[in-house]
Amino acid sequence: MSSRIEGGVAGPDRLSAAVRRIRPSAVNMASQRARELKAQGRNIVDLTTGEPDFATPAHVCEAAIAAMRAGQTRYTTVGGTLELRQAIARKFMRDNSLDYSPAEIFVGAGAKQALFNALVATVESGDEVIVLAPCWVAYPEMVLFAGGKPIMVAQGTGGFGGLLARVEKEITPRTKWLMINSPTNPSGAFLNREELRALADLLLVHPHVWAMVDDIYEQILFDGRKFVTLAEIEPRLKERTLTINGVSKTYSMTGWRIGYAGGSQALIRAMAKIQSQSTSAPCSVSQAAALAALDGPQDIVRERSAVFQRRRDLLLKEFASIRGMRPNAPQGAFYLFLDCSELIGRTTPPGETIASDEQLATDFLMRAGVALLHGTPFGAPGYLRLSFAASEENLLEACRRLRAACEEIQ
Ligand code: PLP
């Protein structure tokens, strides 16, 4: 019998253009490296990961156990069970005054899958997607995978007015989406009502541009800020806005892999169609757990957000006296984005010149045993990202080590 599969081992030439266009996740790679060093017995304070260090609430775990006992262990409806989509509809109404019917809601394996399916469902080769930088590392890679062109618009100088003007300048007939994430990973920047209003006005005059709004850090906001989302501010944009959220960050459920999106029925159907031919459905047990999280008591969410704020305040105090690492003051999420550009070009104690933020992160990892992420994959060279989803004890220890390491840089 003849076989058309020749050549045996899959070399790079056998891989698709789509997969060759993207890079592996810089976050996963750095976390992996920290874990490997730990496994070798090194004492590493790992501040790379973007997941709350709290446990999933007990009532959520109980709901999952009850679901398993009740036999909810089979495939579910492709885009999520009706019960969960109804709970998500209640959440959208309760927190965002948004009226999505269950048919306008998609559930997938994390907000990441909602973003991915939406881009793959809509982006044609050469389409442009505007991304505000610095941004989460996955956005430009997903756009590239879908065949599109990420158009990075830097926050830069000139405040929000400057950013708005730069976004407008980048809108072309090929612009498909504007991606918005507030509060944002990695800088914790938050778009307030007036800023979102201005973005909404811009979108209203460009009806071919849709908005992909990632609200995953909605509940982690500091100093009494009140969250708002685009479709809530401008109902005329609701049909062309995809409002994405999930249980990962809000309820410390990163491993359960449940995210969701509300949007136009046609887009939601297309996202589910992709799911039907790939993962079939999100995990049944996780869906039951997510339902319990969304419908259950919400005080824990506020309590945990207050803990993140205390840690942020502690870090801002510490970094005020660490030479060469200037922190932003995040308004939400759980990351400190540190401007380390002063340290680039300087010399480490072994006599090496620090050529890049990546090399600086490696230096801190090897010399101080502190794992941070470098800014370049987030679109911000010269920066490092520190996740404060870690205990105060670990954060203080990291500051002590970084202070000492910075003192030694010439
Ligand atoms: N969106 C942003 C901005 C994130 O930072 C992350 C995770 O780090 C996600 C989405 C992914 O969330 P999920 O765990 O729901 O896939």
Side-chain angles (χ1 to χ4, degrees), residues 27 50-51 109-113 115 135-136 139 181 183-185 214-217 244-249 253-255 257-260 334-335 385:
V27 180
E51 56 183 348
K112 200 169 196 174
Q113 187 166 29
L115 288 154
C135 67
W136 185 37
Y139 292 163
N181 172 221
T184 191
N185 172 8
D214 181 350
D215 289 342
I216 195 88
Y217 295 104
I244 298 176
N245 212 320
V247 295
S248 285
K249 319 284 176 176
M253 292 177 67
T254 45
R257 306 309 303 129
I258 295 291
Y260 54 87
F334 38 72
Y335 309 106
R385 191 195 81 173

PDB file of all heavy atoms in Angstrom, residues 27 50-51 109-113 115 135-136 139 181 183-185 214-217 244-249 253-255 257-260 334-335 385, ligand 1:
ATOM      1  N   VAL A  27       5.243  34.720  28.614  1.00  0.00           N
ATOM      2  CA  VAL A  27       4.893  34.555  30.032  1.00  0.00           C
ATOM      3  C   VAL A  27       5.104  33.100  30.436  1.00  0.00           C
ATOM      4  O   VAL A  27       5.760  32.798  31.434  1.00  0.00           O
ATOM      5  CB  VAL A  27       3.415  34.973  30.283  1.00  0.00           C
ATOM      6  CG1 VAL A  27       3.062  34.802  31.752  1.00  0.00           C
ATOM      7  CG2 VAL A  27       3.176  36.396  29.826  1.00  0.00           C
ATOM      8  N   GLY A  50       0.426  35.416  36.156  1.00  0.00           N
ATOM      9  CA  GLY A  50      -0.737  36.296  36.207  1.00  0.00           C
ATOM     10  C   GLY A  50      -1.948  35.589  36.768  1.00  0.00           C
ATOM     11  O   GLY A  50      -2.993  35.582  36.128  1.00  0.00           O
ATOM     12  N   GLU A  51      -1.776  34.969  37.937  1.00  0.00           N
ATOM     13  CA  GLU A  51      -2.963  34.341  38.512  1.00  0.00           C
ATOM     14  C   GLU A  51      -3.018  34.604  40.007  1.00  0.00           C
ATOM     15  O   GLU A  51      -2.000  34.575  40.695  1.00  0.00           O
ATOM     16  CB  GLU A  51      -3.006  32.840  38.227  1.00  0.00           C
ATOM     17  CG  GLU A  51      -1.812  32.057  38.675  1.00  0.00           C
ATOM     18  CD  GLU A  51      -1.917  30.587  38.284  1.00  0.00           C
ATOM     19  OE1 GLU A  51      -3.007  30.157  37.879  1.00  0.00           O
ATOM     20  OE2 GLU A  51      -0.922  29.885  38.415  1.00  0.00           O
ATOM     21  N   ALA A 109     -13.050  27.920  26.888  1.00  0.00           N
ATOM     22  CA  ALA A 109     -12.006  27.547  27.850  1.00  0.00           C
ATOM     23  C   ALA A 109     -11.159  28.775  28.189  1.00  0.00           C
ATOM     24  O   ALA A 109     -10.026  28.904  27.757  1.00  0.00           O
ATOM     25  CB  ALA A 109     -11.152  26.423  27.291  1.00  0.00           C
ATOM     26  N   GLY A 110     -11.748  29.698  28.929  1.00  0.00           N
ATOM     27  CA  GLY A 110     -11.043  30.914  29.317  1.00  0.00           C
ATOM     28  C   GLY A 110     -11.386  32.072  28.400  1.00  0.00           C
ATOM     29  O   GLY A 110     -11.839  31.874  27.249  1.00  0.00           O
ATOM     30  N   ALA A 111     -11.144  33.281  28.917  1.00  0.00           N
ATOM     31  CA  ALA A 111     -11.325  34.474  28.087  1.00  0.00           C
ATOM     32  C   ALA A 111     -10.420  34.372  26.872  1.00  0.00           C
ATOM     33  O   ALA A 111     -10.728  34.874  25.787  1.00  0.00           O
ATOM     34  CB  ALA A 111     -10.997  35.720  28.901  1.00  0.00           C
ATOM     35  N   LYS A 112      -9.297  33.692  27.047  1.00  0.00           N
ATOM     36  CA  LYS A 112      -8.329  33.535  25.958  1.00  0.00           C
ATOM     37  C   LYS A 112      -8.984  32.850  24.762  1.00  0.00           C
ATOM     38  O   LYS A 112      -8.755  33.234  23.618  1.00  0.00           O
ATOM     39  CB  LYS A 112      -7.138  32.715  26.474  1.00  0.00           C
ATOM     40  CG  LYS A 112      -5.886  32.866  25.668  1.00  0.00           C
ATOM     41  CD  LYS A 112      -4.703  32.242  26.412  1.00  0.00           C
ATOM     42  CE  LYS A 112      -3.377  32.708  25.836  1.00  0.00           C
ATOM     43  NZ  LYS A 112      -2.235  32.243  26.625  1.00  0.00           N
ATOM     44  N   GLN A 113      -9.804  31.846  25.025  1.00  0.00           N
ATOM     45  CA  GLN A 113     -10.449  31.171  23.892  1.00  0.00           C
ATOM     46  C   GLN A 113     -11.524  32.046  23.257  1.00  0.00           C
ATOM     47  O   GLN A 113     -11.720  31.992  22.036  1.00  0.00           O
ATOM     48  CB  GLN A 113     -11.049  29.826  24.307  1.00  0.00           C
ATOM     49  CG  GLN A 113     -11.540  29.098  23.065  1.00  0.00           C
ATOM     50  CD  GLN A 113     -11.839  27.656  23.271  1.00  0.00           C
ATOM     51  OE1 GLN A 113     -12.204  27.228  24.373  1.00  0.00           O
ATOM     52  NE2 GLN A 113     -11.689  26.879  22.226  1.00  0.00           N
ATOM     53  N   LEU A 115     -11.363  35.300  22.995  1.00  0.00           N
ATOM     54  CA  LEU A 115     -10.600  36.231  22.157  1.00  0.00           C
ATOM     55  C   LEU A 115     -10.156  35.535  20.866  1.00  0.00           C
ATOM     56  O   LEU A 115     -10.301  36.060  19.760  1.00  0.00           O
ATOM     57  CB  LEU A 115      -9.357  36.720  22.911  1.00  0.00           C
ATOM     58  CG  LEU A 115      -9.590  37.697  24.073  1.00  0.00           C
ATOM     59  CD1 LEU A 115      -8.465  37.610  25.096  1.00  0.00           C
ATOM     60  CD2 LEU A 115      -9.721  39.123  23.558  1.00  0.00           C
ATOM     61  N   CYS A 135       0.384  45.950  26.031  1.00  0.00           N
ATOM     62  CA  CYS A 135      -0.800  45.088  26.068  1.00  0.00           C
ATOM     63  C   CYS A 135      -0.406  43.676  26.473  1.00  0.00           C
ATOM     64  O   CYS A 135       0.777  43.333  26.504  1.00  0.00           O
ATOM     65  CB  CYS A 135      -1.432  45.038  24.686  1.00  0.00           C
ATOM     66  SG  CYS A 135      -0.372  44.211  23.506  1.00  0.00           S
ATOM     67  N   TRP A 136      -1.410  42.881  26.761  1.00  0.00           N
ATOM     68  CA  TRP A 136      -1.175  41.470  27.075  1.00  0.00           C
ATOM     69  C   TRP A 136      -0.509  40.799  25.870  1.00  0.00           C
ATOM     70  O   TRP A 136      -0.907  41.041  24.720  1.00  0.00           O
ATOM     71  CB  TRP A 136      -2.507  40.801  27.388  1.00  0.00           C
ATOM     72  CG  TRP A 136      -2.393  39.379  27.829  1.00  0.00           C
ATOM     73  CD1 TRP A 136      -1.412  38.837  28.609  1.00  0.00           C
ATOM     74  CD2 TRP A 136      -3.296  38.319  27.516  1.00  0.00           C
ATOM     75  NE1 TRP A 136      -1.655  37.500  28.803  1.00  0.00           N
ATOM     76  CE2 TRP A 136      -2.804  37.150  28.152  1.00  0.00           C
ATOM     77  CE3 TRP A 136      -4.477  38.234  26.774  1.00  0.00           C
ATOM     78  CZ2 TRP A 136      -3.452  35.926  28.059  1.00  0.00           C
ATOM     79  CZ3 TRP A 136      -5.119  37.009  26.692  1.00  0.00           C
ATOM     80  CH2 TRP A 136      -4.617  35.870  27.327  1.00  0.00           C
ATOM     81  N   TYR A 139      -2.389  39.197  22.621  1.00  0.00           N
ATOM     82  CA  TYR A 139      -3.195  39.889  21.600  1.00  0.00           C
ATOM     83  C   TYR A 139      -2.533  39.916  20.219  1.00  0.00           C
ATOM     84  O   TYR A 139      -3.125  39.462  19.236  1.00  0.00           O
ATOM     85  CB  TYR A 139      -3.515  41.331  22.016  1.00  0.00           C
ATOM     86  CG  TYR A 139      -4.447  41.520  23.196  1.00  0.00           C
ATOM     87  CD1 TYR A 139      -4.511  42.744  23.847  1.00  0.00           C
ATOM     88  CD2 TYR A 139      -5.274  40.502  23.644  1.00  0.00           C
ATOM     89  CE1 TYR A 139      -5.363  42.945  24.921  1.00  0.00           C
ATOM     90  CE2 TYR A 139      -6.124  40.697  24.725  1.00  0.00           C
ATOM     91  CZ  TYR A 139      -6.161  41.924  25.354  1.00  0.00           C
ATOM     92  OH  TYR A 139      -6.995  42.126  26.402  1.00  0.00           O
ATOM     93  N   ASN A 181      -8.539  46.857  26.763  1.00  0.00           N
ATOM     94  CA  ASN A 181      -8.403  46.065  27.991  1.00  0.00           C
ATOM     95  C   ASN A 181      -8.181  47.036  29.145  1.00  0.00           C
ATOM     96  O   ASN A 181      -7.173  47.711  29.201  1.00  0.00           O
ATOM     97  CB  ASN A 181      -7.206  45.100  27.841  1.00  0.00           C
ATOM     98  CG  ASN A 181      -6.844  44.367  29.112  1.00  0.00           C
ATOM     99  OD1 ASN A 181      -5.677  44.190  29.436  1.00  0.00           O
ATOM    100  ND2 ASN A 181      -7.834  43.915  29.838  1.00  0.00           N
ATOM    101  N   PRO A 183      -9.089  47.410  33.581  1.00  0.00           N
ATOM    102  CA  PRO A 183      -7.682  47.742  33.778  1.00  0.00           C
ATOM    103  C   PRO A 183      -6.814  46.768  32.995  1.00  0.00           C
ATOM    104  O   PRO A 183      -7.201  45.631  32.765  1.00  0.00           O
ATOM    105  CB  PRO A 183      -7.479  47.581  35.282  1.00  0.00           C
ATOM    106  CG  PRO A 183      -8.727  47.023  35.849  1.00  0.00           C
ATOM    107  CD  PRO A 183      -9.768  46.990  34.813  1.00  0.00           C
ATOM    108  N   THR A 184      -5.653  47.247  32.631  1.00  0.00           N
ATOM    109  CA  THR A 184      -4.879  46.489  31.660  1.00  0.00           C
ATOM    110  C   THR A 184      -3.728  45.678  32.254  1.00  0.00           C
ATOM    111  O   THR A 184      -3.151  46.045  33.269  1.00  0.00           O
ATOM    112  CB  THR A 184      -4.354  47.455  30.567  1.00  0.00           C
ATOM    113  OG1 THR A 184      -3.838  46.700  29.505  1.00  0.00           O
ATOM    114  CG2 THR A 184      -3.260  48.363  31.056  1.00  0.00           C
ATOM    115  N   ASN A 185      -3.452  44.581  31.607  1.00  0.00           N
ATOM    116  CA  ASN A 185      -2.235  43.811  31.825  1.00  0.00           C
ATOM    117  C   ASN A 185      -1.295  44.266  30.700  1.00  0.00           C
ATOM    118  O   ASN A 185      -1.673  44.133  29.539  1.00  0.00           O
ATOM    119  CB  ASN A 185      -2.566  42.316  31.692  1.00  0.00           C
ATOM    120  CG  ASN A 185      -1.339  41.438  31.702  1.00  0.00           C
ATOM    121  OD1 ASN A 185      -0.238  41.887  31.954  1.00  0.00           O
ATOM    122  ND2 ASN A 185      -1.553  40.154  31.411  1.00  0.00           N
ATOM    123  N   ASP A 214     -11.896  43.518  26.585  1.00  0.00           N
ATOM    124  CA  ASP A 214     -11.483  42.461  27.511  1.00  0.00           C
ATOM    125  C   ASP A 214     -11.569  43.005  28.942  1.00  0.00           C
ATOM    126  O   ASP A 214     -10.723  43.764  29.387  1.00  0.00           O
ATOM    127  CB  ASP A 214     -10.038  42.048  27.155  1.00  0.00           C
ATOM    128  CG  ASP A 214      -9.500  40.943  28.044  1.00  0.00           C
ATOM    129  OD1 ASP A 214     -10.129  40.610  29.054  1.00  0.00           O
ATOM    130  OD2 ASP A 214      -8.412  40.411  27.713  1.00  0.00           O
ATOM    131  N   ASP A 215     -12.631  42.571  29.646  1.00  0.00           N
ATOM    132  CA  ASP A 215     -12.906  43.087  31.003  1.00  0.00           C
ATOM    133  C   ASP A 215     -12.440  42.121  32.094  1.00  0.00           C
ATOM    134  O   ASP A 215     -12.972  42.145  33.204  1.00  0.00           O
ATOM    135  CB  ASP A 215     -14.419  43.325  31.157  1.00  0.00           C
ATOM    136  CG  ASP A 215     -14.919  44.505  30.337  1.00  0.00           C
ATOM    137  OD1 ASP A 215     -14.091  45.339  29.920  1.00  0.00           O
ATOM    138  OD2 ASP A 215     -16.144  44.604  30.129  1.00  0.00           O
ATOM    139  N   ILE A 216     -11.448  41.303  31.803  1.00  0.00           N
ATOM    140  CA  ILE A 216     -11.082  40.215  32.724  1.00  0.00           C
ATOM    141  C   ILE A 216     -10.664  40.728  34.114  1.00  0.00           C
ATOM    142  O   ILE A 216     -10.834  40.035  35.103  1.00  0.00           O
ATOM    143  CB  ILE A 216      -9.981  39.327  32.071  1.00  0.00           C
ATOM    144  CG1 ILE A 216      -9.828  37.989  32.806  1.00  0.00           C
ATOM    145  CG2 ILE A 216      -8.639  40.026  32.002  1.00  0.00           C
ATOM    146  CD1 ILE A 216     -10.720  36.919  32.318  1.00  0.00           C
ATOM    147  N   TYR A 217     -10.126  41.958  34.198  1.00  0.00           N
ATOM    148  CA  TYR A 217      -9.699  42.490  35.515  1.00  0.00           C
ATOM    149  C   TYR A 217     -10.733  43.439  36.114  1.00  0.00           C
ATOM    150  O   TYR A 217     -10.408  44.233  37.002  1.00  0.00           O
ATOM    151  CB  TYR A 217      -8.333  43.194  35.386  1.00  0.00           C
ATOM    152  CG  TYR A 217      -7.228  42.241  35.005  1.00  0.00           C
ATOM    153  CD1 TYR A 217      -6.727  42.201  33.707  1.00  0.00           C
ATOM    154  CD2 TYR A 217      -6.698  41.346  35.938  1.00  0.00           C
ATOM    155  CE1 TYR A 217      -5.732  41.299  33.342  1.00  0.00           C
ATOM    156  CE2 TYR A 217      -5.706  40.447  35.588  1.00  0.00           C
ATOM    157  CZ  TYR A 217      -5.225  40.435  34.293  1.00  0.00           C
ATOM    158  OH  TYR A 217      -4.238  39.537  33.946  1.00  0.00           O
ATOM    159  N   ILE A 244     -15.862  40.753  26.711  1.00  0.00           N
ATOM    160  CA  ILE A 244     -15.252  39.489  27.140  1.00  0.00           C
ATOM    161  C   ILE A 244     -14.919  39.548  28.626  1.00  0.00           C
ATOM    162  O   ILE A 244     -14.463  40.568  29.144  1.00  0.00           O
ATOM    163  CB  ILE A 244     -13.981  39.230  26.301  1.00  0.00           C
ATOM    164  CG1 ILE A 244     -14.365  39.088  24.823  1.00  0.00           C
ATOM    165  CG2 ILE A 244     -13.226  38.001  26.800  1.00  0.00           C
ATOM    166  CD1 ILE A 244     -13.198  38.933  23.887  1.00  0.00           C
ATOM    167  N   ASN A 245     -15.144  38.446  29.312  1.00  0.00           N
ATOM    168  CA  ASN A 245     -14.844  38.382  30.740  1.00  0.00           C
ATOM    169  C   ASN A 245     -14.618  36.909  31.096  1.00  0.00           C
ATOM    170  O   ASN A 245     -14.620  36.047  30.211  1.00  0.00           O
ATOM    171  CB  ASN A 245     -16.014  38.991  31.536  1.00  0.00           C
ATOM    172  CG  ASN A 245     -15.553  39.658  32.815  1.00  0.00           C
ATOM    173  OD1 ASN A 245     -14.671  39.123  33.503  1.00  0.00           O
ATOM    174  ND2 ASN A 245     -16.133  40.802  33.135  1.00  0.00           N
ATOM    175  N   GLY A 246     -14.433  36.622  32.375  1.00  0.00           N
ATOM    176  CA  GLY A 246     -14.194  35.241  32.769  1.00  0.00           C
ATOM    177  C   GLY A 246     -14.101  35.120  34.273  1.00  0.00           C
ATOM    178  O   GLY A 246     -14.137  36.134  34.991  1.00  0.00           O
ATOM    179  N   VAL A 247     -13.974  33.890  34.727  1.00  0.00           N
ATOM    180  CA  VAL A 247     -13.933  33.664  36.185  1.00  0.00           C
ATOM    181  C   VAL A 247     -12.504  33.538  36.715  1.00  0.00           C
ATOM    182  O   VAL A 247     -12.302  33.493  37.927  1.00  0.00           O
ATOM    183  CB  VAL A 247     -14.758  32.411  36.573  1.00  0.00           C
ATOM    184  CG1 VAL A 247     -16.241  32.632  36.278  1.00  0.00           C
ATOM    185  CG2 VAL A 247     -14.244  31.159  35.874  1.00  0.00           C
ATOM    186  N   SER A 248     -11.516  33.497  35.806  1.00  0.00           N
ATOM    187  CA  SER A 248     -10.127  33.220  36.226  1.00  0.00           C
ATOM    188  C   SER A 248      -9.621  34.171  37.300  1.00  0.00           C
ATOM    189  O   SER A 248      -9.143  33.745  38.351  1.00  0.00           O
ATOM    190  CB  SER A 248      -9.185  33.331  35.026  1.00  0.00           C
ATOM    191  OG  SER A 248      -9.316  32.227  34.186  1.00  0.00           O
ATOM    192  N   LYS A 249      -9.682  35.465  37.016  1.00  0.00           N
ATOM    193  CA  LYS A 249      -9.058  36.444  37.920  1.00  0.00           C
ATOM    194  C   LYS A 249     -10.014  36.820  39.045  1.00  0.00           C
ATOM    195  O   LYS A 249      -9.598  37.010  40.182  1.00  0.00           O
ATOM    196  CB  LYS A 249      -8.632  37.700  37.148  1.00  0.00           C
ATOM    197  CG  LYS A 249      -8.009  37.446  35.781  1.00  0.00           C
ATOM    198  CD  LYS A 249      -6.586  36.962  35.825  1.00  0.00           C
ATOM    199  CE  LYS A 249      -6.092  36.638  34.415  1.00  0.00           C
ATOM    200  NZ  LYS A 249      -4.714  36.254  34.320  1.00  0.00           N
ATOM    201  N   MET A 253      -9.869  31.302  39.644  1.00  0.00           N
ATOM    202  CA  MET A 253     -10.236  30.038  38.994  1.00  0.00           C
ATOM    203  C   MET A 253      -9.467  29.844  37.688  1.00  0.00           C
ATOM    204  O   MET A 253     -10.018  29.335  36.700  1.00  0.00           O
ATOM    205  CB  MET A 253     -11.751  30.024  38.728  1.00  0.00           C
ATOM    206  CG  MET A 253     -12.581  29.948  39.996  1.00  0.00           C
ATOM    207  SD  MET A 253     -14.366  30.012  39.680  1.00  0.00           S
ATOM    208  CE  MET A 253     -14.653  28.462  38.808  1.00  0.00           C
ATOM    209  N   THR A 254      -8.201  30.224  37.665  1.00  0.00           N
ATOM    210  CA  THR A 254      -7.435  30.154  36.414  1.00  0.00           C
ATOM    211  C   THR A 254      -7.396  28.736  35.822  1.00  0.00           C
ATOM    212  O   THR A 254      -7.470  28.568  34.613  1.00  0.00           O
ATOM    213  CB  THR A 254      -5.998  30.661  36.635  1.00  0.00           C
ATOM    214  OG1 THR A 254      -5.502  30.082  37.840  1.00  0.00           O
ATOM    215  CG2 THR A 254      -5.940  32.166  36.744  1.00  0.00           C
ATOM    216  N   GLY A 255      -7.289  27.744  36.696  1.00  0.00           N
ATOM    217  CA  GLY A 255      -7.144  26.366  36.204  1.00  0.00           C
ATOM    218  C   GLY A 255      -8.443  25.732  35.740  1.00  0.00           C
ATOM    219  O   GLY A 255      -8.423  24.691  35.089  1.00  0.00           O
ATOM    220  N   ARG A 257     -10.539  27.042  33.645  1.00  0.00           N
ATOM    221  CA  ARG A 257     -10.638  27.413  32.239  1.00  0.00           C
ATOM    222  C   ARG A 257     -12.070  27.708  31.791  1.00  0.00           C
ATOM    223  O   ARG A 257     -12.620  27.024  30.923  1.00  0.00           O
ATOM    224  CB  ARG A 257     -10.016  26.317  31.324  1.00  0.00           C
ATOM    225  CG  ARG A 257      -8.597  25.914  31.657  1.00  0.00           C
ATOM    226  CD  ARG A 257      -7.618  27.077  31.803  1.00  0.00           C
ATOM    227  NE  ARG A 257      -7.529  27.924  30.652  1.00  0.00           N
ATOM    228  CZ  ARG A 257      -7.654  29.267  30.743  1.00  0.00           C
ATOM    229  NH1 ARG A 257      -7.854  29.875  31.887  1.00  0.00           N
ATOM    230  NH2 ARG A 257      -7.554  29.996  29.654  1.00  0.00           N
ATOM    231  N   ILE A 258     -12.640  28.749  32.367  1.00  0.00           N
ATOM    232  CA  ILE A 258     -13.944  29.217  31.892  1.00  0.00           C
ATOM    233  C   ILE A 258     -13.893  30.733  31.659  1.00  0.00           C
ATOM    234  O   ILE A 258     -13.580  31.503  32.573  1.00  0.00           O
ATOM    235  CB  ILE A 258     -15.089  28.886  32.895  1.00  0.00           C
ATOM    236  CG1 ILE A 258     -15.283  27.372  33.035  1.00  0.00           C
ATOM    237  CG2 ILE A 258     -16.413  29.556  32.445  1.00  0.00           C
ATOM    238  CD1 ILE A 258     -15.842  26.653  31.809  1.00  0.00           C
ATOM    239  N   GLY A 259     -14.167  31.121  30.427  1.00  0.00           N
ATOM    240  CA  GLY A 259     -14.295  32.527  30.083  1.00  0.00           C
ATOM    241  C   GLY A 259     -15.545  32.679  29.235  1.00  0.00           C
ATOM    242  O   GLY A 259     -16.108  31.681  28.758  1.00  0.00           O
ATOM    243  N   TYR A 260     -15.975  33.910  29.050  1.00  0.00           N
ATOM    244  CA  TYR A 260     -17.218  34.092  28.301  1.00  0.00           C
ATOM    245  C   TYR A 260     -17.228  35.426  27.567  1.00  0.00           C
ATOM    246  O   TYR A 260     -16.368  36.290  27.821  1.00  0.00           O
ATOM    247  CB  TYR A 260     -18.436  33.956  29.227  1.00  0.00           C
ATOM    248  CG  TYR A 260     -18.411  34.869  30.443  1.00  0.00           C
ATOM    249  CD1 TYR A 260     -18.901  36.163  30.374  1.00  0.00           C
ATOM    250  CD2 TYR A 260     -17.902  34.425  31.667  1.00  0.00           C
ATOM    251  CE1 TYR A 260     -18.891  36.993  31.476  1.00  0.00           C
ATOM    252  CE2 TYR A 260     -17.883  35.240  32.785  1.00  0.00           C
ATOM    253  CZ  TYR A 260     -18.379  36.530  32.691  1.00  0.00           C
ATOM    254  OH  TYR A 260     -18.355  37.356  33.773  1.00  0.00           O
ATOM    255  N   PHE A 334      -3.201  43.211  38.891  1.00  0.00           N
ATOM    256  CA  PHE A 334      -2.237  42.947  39.967  1.00  0.00           C
ATOM    257  C   PHE A 334      -0.790  42.896  39.461  1.00  0.00           C
ATOM    258  O   PHE A 334      -0.040  41.988  39.765  1.00  0.00           O
ATOM    259  CB  PHE A 334      -2.587  41.669  40.756  1.00  0.00           C
ATOM    260  CG  PHE A 334      -3.123  40.530  39.932  1.00  0.00           C
ATOM    261  CD1 PHE A 334      -2.310  39.805  39.087  1.00  0.00           C
ATOM    262  CD2 PHE A 334      -4.468  40.168  40.028  1.00  0.00           C
ATOM    263  CE1 PHE A 334      -2.793  38.760  38.348  1.00  0.00           C
ATOM    264  CE2 PHE A 334      -4.979  39.113  39.275  1.00  0.00           C
ATOM    265  CZ  PHE A 334      -4.139  38.410  38.438  1.00  0.00           C
ATOM    266  N   TYR A 335      -0.466  43.911  38.663  1.00  0.00           N
ATOM    267  CA  TYR A 335       0.889  43.983  38.115  1.00  0.00           C
ATOM    268  C   TYR A 335       1.495  45.354  38.373  1.00  0.00           C
ATOM    269  O   TYR A 335       0.807  46.367  38.263  1.00  0.00           O
ATOM    270  CB  TYR A 335       0.863  43.747  36.606  1.00  0.00           C
ATOM    271  CG  TYR A 335       0.122  42.513  36.196  1.00  0.00           C
ATOM    272  CD1 TYR A 335      -1.143  42.605  35.604  1.00  0.00           C
ATOM    273  CD2 TYR A 335       0.666  41.249  36.423  1.00  0.00           C
ATOM    274  CE1 TYR A 335      -1.841  41.469  35.235  1.00  0.00           C
ATOM    275  CE2 TYR A 335      -0.040  40.103  36.054  1.00  0.00           C
ATOM    276  CZ  TYR A 335      -1.290  40.222  35.464  1.00  0.00           C
ATOM    277  OH  TYR A 335      -1.979  39.106  35.098  1.00  0.00           O
ATOM    278  N   ARG A 385       7.801  43.505  34.237  1.00  0.00           N
ATOM    279  CA  ARG A 385       6.506  43.344  34.894  1.00  0.00           C
ATOM    280  C   ARG A 385       6.628  42.455  36.118  1.00  0.00           C
ATOM    281  O   ARG A 385       7.186  41.365  36.041  1.00  0.00           O
ATOM    282  CB  ARG A 385       5.470  42.725  33.942  1.00  0.00           C
ATOM    283  CG  ARG A 385       4.065  42.798  34.523  1.00  0.00           C
ATOM    284  CD  ARG A 385       3.080  41.890  33.813  1.00  0.00           C
ATOM    285  NE  ARG A 385       3.167  40.514  34.267  1.00  0.00           N
ATOM    286  CZ  ARG A 385       2.328  39.537  33.903  1.00  0.00           C
ATOM    287  NH1 ARG A 385       1.340  39.798  33.068  1.00  0.00           N
ATOM    288  NH2 ARG A 385       2.489  38.314  34.353  1.00  0.00           N
TER     289      ARG A 385
HETATM  290  N1  PLP B   1      -7.001  38.793  29.117  1.00  0.00           N
HETATM  291  C1  PLP B   1      -5.957  39.353  29.767  1.00  0.00           C
HETATM  292  C2  PLP B   1      -5.694  40.801  29.609  1.00  0.00           C
HETATM  293  C3  PLP B   1      -5.141  38.573  30.589  1.00  0.00           C
HETATM  294  O1  PLP B   1      -4.104  39.141  31.231  1.00  0.00           O
HETATM  295  C4  PLP B   1      -5.391  37.192  30.707  1.00  0.00           C
HETATM  296  C5  PLP B   1      -4.524  36.317  31.514  1.00  0.00           C
HETATM  297  O2  PLP B   1      -3.451  36.629  31.917  1.00  0.00           O
HETATM  298  C6  PLP B   1      -6.492  36.666  30.015  1.00  0.00           C
HETATM  299  C7  PLP B   1      -7.270  37.489  29.223  1.00  0.00           C
HETATM  300  C8  PLP B   1      -6.793  35.191  30.048  1.00  0.00           C
HETATM  301  O3  PLP B   1      -7.793  34.843  30.923  1.00  0.00           O
HETATM  302  P1  PLP B   1      -8.374  33.375  30.973  1.00  0.00           P
HETATM  303  O4  PLP B   1      -7.693  32.662  32.085  1.00  0.00           O
HETATM  304  O5  PLP B   1      -9.841  33.573  31.242  1.00  0.00           O
HETATM  305  O6  PLP B   1      -8.143  32.736  29.662  1.00  0.00           O
END
